[in-house]
């Protein structure tokens, strides 16, 4: 087996800890940023209560529902009113957009805006000074007056993007001819149909061919449609809508000898000295998407906490004394909710830490550490939290209007967007194991999570000692690759808890979060960590008991109430929902004897 080409990174690199004075300043900066992002009012509060954000009627056609998603994306973008500087420099305003609670009401809207801002605007902005046509396009993209996309992935080269097939051939007159040479070269997933009602333009990553020579991949600016029909030579095949989500017109896109002007090329005609570096430079905004789009899962965890807890306080059964008691009193009901609250708080802190480091670091390998660790742990917590919480909502959890299941379906795709989390983990863990570079050491190497991280890596390295060809062997494929995601999660848990300390997350929530980590790998902590399963259960119970009395306050402080429309959360919402249901009545009489005789 051959490992991903990203393993070609030259030279070892150590990430050294900051001096104490610098660390103190960094902690202060993180705390200030935490306050700025999480404790300032959202600009979408009024929008959340507007008719635009009401649950879409079931009578809407697919085209109407798709256009509604785009209208909400435009409203979200205009509410935040980001500048080009915000996008390019990834300011706190850029962060705040990605964690907006409106994500709860329409995950498709934040997906569209994130791609538009991060991948399209972030990619073309460095060329604006030399391409006079770009500034007005960027302005329209920031206001979502147009749909702007980023086309990298091909049907036959999903994770092998460096070997994409789409070509852009330089013609004798200076123009370019963009072409899809085979069905496997179709660009896949970026939304690209006239169904959205907006003129569409895209950055298309293609292989530059000059006088028969392959000069590596380049970004090209390509108009796709005028909002009514596709541009000449471009074909789009729309995928069917994904189950249970707000529809976006994801598609396969094909180019049939499309003529482009010389200005379509963003960059140089010259062959790059280092093809890999050129490729990474071309897709430099993918890492930011890996980090910040994953952060959009945090509001969804808060939503699940709010909806499930409100339901659990309202839902009563008769207790042993014959009196009604809310089901929230049961340990099995409130424990998943408490764990999710702790996770939301710790993930917020980790986002501040990882995002800040990502923005200030110049080395792409360092950025990869923070983007991958944050995405890995966030996606893991999102999936497990929403599943366990929704199971406590009974039959009401099966329906889209109760938001939890819909959010799970909508954001499961984030695990693969801007880099499949499993592949990102394989790349990071493998490079750490073979010594290409190392992460910052733990602040407390004696903590349980730090020993867990060190223990897993020690076990993996011992296994690798048996391999003749290290990371390029079949043994590595069979033995180490399945360990890569757990290894990255172990780093993530430790870093997340350190970040939670730095920004001052309540120690009770940190203790509950740590108890949840013990459950994730109970066998290791019992066998190697010196914490028996009985002790683990006791630690979880003690931590949960400490947080439980504050549950209602913590739920209200999530700030998600204006964005939650689940009928199960209140009598008023339930009554309104029942009033909307299709109703059947009549005056038929079924006479059993006559019916029996006819049968």
């Amino acid at each position: 087996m051959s490992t991903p080409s990203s393993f070609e990174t030259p030279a070892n690199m150590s990430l050294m800890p900051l001096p104490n004075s610098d660390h103190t300043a960094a902690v202060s900066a993180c705390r200030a940023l935490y306050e700025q992002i999480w404790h300032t009012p959202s600009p979408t509060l009024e929008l959340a209560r507007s008719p635009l954000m009401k649950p879409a009627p079931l009578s809407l056609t697919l085209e109407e529902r798709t256009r509604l998603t785009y209208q909400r994306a435009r409203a979200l973008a205009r509410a935040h009113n980001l500048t080009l500087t915000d996008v390019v420099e990834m300011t706190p305003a850029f962060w705040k957009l990605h964690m907006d609670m409106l994500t709860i009401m329409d995950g498709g809207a934040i997906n569209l805006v994130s791609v538009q801002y991060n991948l399209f605007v972030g990619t073309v902005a460095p060329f604006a000074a030399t391409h006079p046509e770009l500034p007005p396009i960027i302005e329209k993209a920031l206001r979502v007056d147009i749909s702007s996309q980023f086309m990298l992935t091909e049907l036959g080269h999903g994770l092998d993007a460096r070997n994409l097939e789409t070509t852009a051939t330089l013609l004798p007159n200076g123009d370019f001819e963009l072409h899809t040479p085979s069905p496997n070269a179709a660009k896949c997933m970026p939304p690209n149909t006239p169904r959205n009602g907006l003129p569409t333009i895209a950055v298309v990553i293609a292989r530059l061919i000059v006088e028969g020579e392959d000069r590596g991949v380049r970004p090209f600016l390509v108009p796709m449609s005028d909002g009514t029909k596709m541009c000449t030579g471009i074909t789009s095949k729309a995928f069917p809508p994904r189950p249970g989500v707000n529809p976006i017109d994801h598609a396969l896109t094909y180019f049939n000898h499309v003529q482009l002007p010389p200005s379509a090329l963003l960059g140089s005609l010259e062959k790059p000295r280092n093809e890999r570096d050129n490729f990474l430079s071309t897709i430099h905004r993918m890492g930011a998407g890996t980090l910040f789009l994953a952060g959009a899962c945090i509001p969804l965890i808060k939503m699940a906490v709010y909806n499930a807890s409100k339901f659990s306080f309202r839902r009563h059964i008769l207790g042993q004394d014959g009196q009604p008691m809310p089901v929230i009193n049961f340990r099995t009901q409130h424990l998943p909710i408490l764990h999710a609250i702790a996770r939301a708080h710790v993930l917020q802190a980790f986002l501040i830490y990882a995002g800040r480091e990502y923005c200030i670091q110049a080395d792409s390998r360092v950025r990869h550490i923070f983007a991958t660790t944050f995405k890995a742990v966030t996606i893991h917590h999102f999936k497990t939290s929403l599943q366990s919480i929704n199971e406590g909502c009974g039959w009401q959890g099966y329906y889209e209007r109760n938001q939890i299941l819909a959010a799970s379906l909508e954001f499961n795709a984030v695990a693969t967007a801007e880099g499949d989390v499993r592949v990102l983990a394989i790349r990071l863990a493998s490079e750490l194991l073979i010594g290409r570079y190392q992460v910052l050491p733990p602040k407390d190497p004696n903590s349980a999570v730090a020993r867990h991280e060190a223990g897993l890596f020690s076990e993996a390295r011992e296994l690798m000692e048996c391999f003749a060809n290290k990371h390029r062997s079949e043994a590595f494929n069979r033995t180490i690759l399945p360990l890569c995601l757990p290894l990255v999660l172990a780093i993530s848990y430790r870093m997340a808890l350190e970040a939670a300390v730095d920004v001052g997350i309540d120690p009770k929530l940190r203790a509950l979060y740590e108890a949840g980590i013990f459950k994730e790998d109970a066998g290791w902590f019992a066998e190697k960590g010196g914490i028996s399963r009985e002790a683990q259960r006791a630690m979880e119970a003690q931590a949960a008991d400490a947080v439980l009395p504050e549950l209602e306050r913590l739920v209200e402080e999530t700030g998600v109430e204006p964005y939650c429309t689940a009928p199960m959360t209140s009598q008023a919402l339930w009554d309104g929902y029942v009033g909307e249901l299709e109703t059947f009545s009549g005056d038929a009489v079924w006479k059993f004897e006559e019916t029996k005789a006819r049968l």
Side-chain angles (χ1 to χ4, degrees):
M1 178 200 173
S2 177
T3 52
S5 55
S6 58
F7 295 155
E8 297 168 10
T9 307
N12 291 342
M13 176 189 69
S14 295
L15 306 183
M16 301 307 294
L18 293 168
N20 288 337
S21 59
D22 290 345
H23 174 69
T24 301
V27 169
S28 297
C30 282
R31 290 193 177 189
L33 195 55
Y34 185 88
E35 295 293 327
Q36 183 178 355
I37 291 178
W38 297 107
H39 295 165
T40 55
S42 169
T44 61
L45 277 172
E46 184 177 347
L47 177 60
R49 299 184 176 97
S50 71
L52 180 65
M53 300 309 302
K54 290 185 180 298
L58 297 178
S59 59
L60 292 185
T61 65
L62 177 58
E63 180 172 316
E64 289 170 334
R65 291 170 60 209
T66 302
R67 294 195 176 196
L68 178 61
T69 303
Y70 278 82
Q71 290 166 9
R72 290 171 172 175
R74 174 184 289 173
L76 171 63
R78 293 184 178 184
H80 280 267
N81 196 29
L82 265 59
T83 66
L84 180 58
T85 299
D86 289 323
V87 175
V88 172
E89 298 183 3
M90 292 178 283
T91 66
F94 178 82
W95 300 27
K96 194 171 182 66
L97 165 70
H98 281 83
M99 272 60 71
D100 196 283
M101 298 293 183
L102 205 74
T103 299
I104 295 166
M105 307 183 85
D106 194 325
I110 187 63
N111 185 300
L112 289 170
V113 175
S114 180
V115 169
Q116 191 131 322
Y117 281 11
N118 184 53
L119 295 183
F120 180 85
V121 174
T123 298
V124 304
F127 303 98
T130 55
H131 288 65
E133 75 281 4
L134 278 178
I137 291 175
I138 290 172
E139 182 61 31
K140 289 180 181 295
L142 288 172
R143 292 184 57 78
V144 193
D145 289 331
I146 60 174
S147 172
S148 47
Q149 301 300 325
F150 183 84
M151 296 190 176
L152 169 67
T153 305
E154 294 180 354
L155 185 60
H157 302 279
L159 300 174
D160 188 26
R162 281 179 62 189
N163 293 314
L164 57 82
E165 298 179 49
T166 302
T167 57
T169 303
L170 180 65
L171 302 177
N173 66 356
D175 288 349
F176 295 95
E177 183 180 84
L178 184 67
H179 186 60
T180 303
S182 74
N184 276 342
K187 296 295 184 181
C188 59
M189 287 311 287
N192 185 30
T193 74
R195 186 185 290 162
N196 62 41
L198 294 175
T200 301
I201 192 168
V203 170
V204 177
I205 309 301
R207 192 165 296 283
L208 175 63
I209 307 297
V210 178
E211 298 179 347
E213 181 185 26
D214 182 347
R215 297 194 176 177
V217 299
R218 296 290 196 283
F220 290 83
L221 192 66
V222 185
M224 293 289 159
S225 79
D226 63 1
T228 302
K229 58 184 179 180
M230 302 299 294
C231 293
T232 303
I234 301 177
T235 299
S236 171
K237 292 181 177 289
F239 287 114
R242 290 165 45 216
V245 307
N246 293 288
I248 300 176
D249 52 333
H250 292 294
L252 292 170
T253 300
Y254 305 81
F255 307 105
N256 184 19
H257 302 286
V258 176
Q259 304 298 296
L260 300 176
S263 60
L265 172 62
L266 303 177
S268 169
L269 282 170
E270 299 301 317
K271 187 177 180 65
R273 286 180 295 179
N274 185 303
E275 185 177 339
R276 179 180 180 273
D277 288 347
N278 173 68
F279 175 74
L280 293 177
S281 175
T282 301
I283 64 167
H284 71 280
R285 292 293 296 210
M286 294 289 289
T290 297
L291 176 66
F292 290 106
L293 189 56
C297 292
I298 298 174
L300 301 180
I301 296 175
K302 293 182 178 182
M303 171 275 296
V305 163
Y306 182 89
N307 286 353
S309 62
K310 289 295 183 180
F311 164 80
S312 300
F313 277 111
R314 291 182 64 239
R315 177 80 169 88
H316 286 72
I317 65 168
L318 291 180
Q320 292 183 347
D321 58 359
Q323 298 298 313
M325 63 173 289
V327 297
I328 194 69
N329 289 357
F330 290 101
R331 187 60 119 193
T332 50
Q333 193 74 8
H334 63 239
L335 192 57
I337 296 173
L338 293 175
H339 274 297
I341 290 174
R343 288 173 170 181
H345 280 266
V346 172
L347 287 177
Q348 286 182 177
F350 191 19
L351 175 63
I352 298 299
Y353 171 64
R356 178 182 177 276
E357 290 300 311
Y358 183 92
C359 291
I360 66 175
Q361 294 288 348
D363 193 302
S364 62
R365 294 166 296 182
V366 183
R367 287 184 163 197
H368 176 58
I369 291 173
F370 293 109
T372 300
T373 52
F374 178 76
K375 179 170 183 174
V377 73
T378 301
I379 295 299
H380 178 67
H381 286 336
F382 167 75
K383 288 186 173 183
T384 54
S385 288
L386 264 67
Q387 179 179 351
S388 60
I389 286 176
N390 201 47
E391 288 173 352
C393 296
W395 64 266
Q396 297 206 43
Y398 303 152
Y399 289 91
E400 183 178 345
R401 279 287 290 272
N402 283 315
Q403 295 183 291
I404 301 175
L405 181 60
S408 180
L409 292 170
E410 186 113 57
F411 269 76
N412 275 341
V414 173
T416 56
E418 268 82 305
D420 188 311
V421 69
R422 295 170 302 170
V423 178
L424 293 174
I426 288 171
R427 174 188 165 192
L428 176 57
S430 299
E431 293 189 336
L432 294 174
L433 285 169
I434 63 179
R436 288 273 165 78
Y437 51 87
Q438 61 188 27
V439 297
L440 283 170
K443 296 173 183 175
D444 179 7
N446 294 318
S447 69
V449 290
R451 289 186 289 109
H452 176 236
E453 174 189 351
L456 293 188
F457 270 91
S458 177
E459 291 171 12
R461 289 190 177 101
E462 287 177 6
L463 288 171
M464 286 181 61
E465 291 298 321
C466 304
F467 305 161
N469 195 27
K470 301 296 182 183
H471 63 287
R472 297 191 183 277
S473 66
E474 182 59 28
F476 188 94
N477 172 35
R478 295 196 323 271
T479 308
I480 301 299
L481 257 58
L483 301 179
C484 287
L485 184 55
L487 287 170
V488 171
L489 284 173
I491 301 171
S492 305
Y493 296 146
R494 186 261 298 174
M495 294 175 73
L497 274 170
E498 289 176 348
V501 172
D502 282 351
V503 302
I505 297 298
D506 188 335
K508 294 191 291 293
L509 292 171
R510 299 202 309 261
L512 183 56
Y513 181 82
E514 187 174 45
I517 294 173
F518 296 158
K519 291 178 69 174
E520 295 282 352
D521 198 353
W524 187 94
F525 284 104
E527 294 175 8
K528 304 290 182 65
I531 308 173
S532 68
R533 293 174 63 226
E534 182 180 359
Q536 292 177 37
R537 287 193 297 268
M539 293 170 72
E540 180 187 38
Q542 183 178 359
D545 288 342
V547 176
L548 184 58
E550 301 180 41
L551 175 58
E552 289 189 81
R553 175 185 63 81
L554 291 168
V555 168
E556 295 301 328
E557 288 179 354
T558 59
V560 301
E561 185 273 332
Y563 303 87
C564 291
T565 58
M568 63 182 177
T569 59
S570 75
Q571 191 62 45
L573 285 172
W574 176 257
D575 291 342
Y577 175 64
V578 172
E580 296 175 15
L581 296 177
E582 184 178 5
T583 303
F584 301 88
S585 60
D587 57 3
V589 176
W590 188 11
K591 295 183 179 179
F592 181 74
E593 292 299 327
E594 293 179 4
T595 303
K596 183 178 180 181
R598 287 199 298 269
L599 296 176

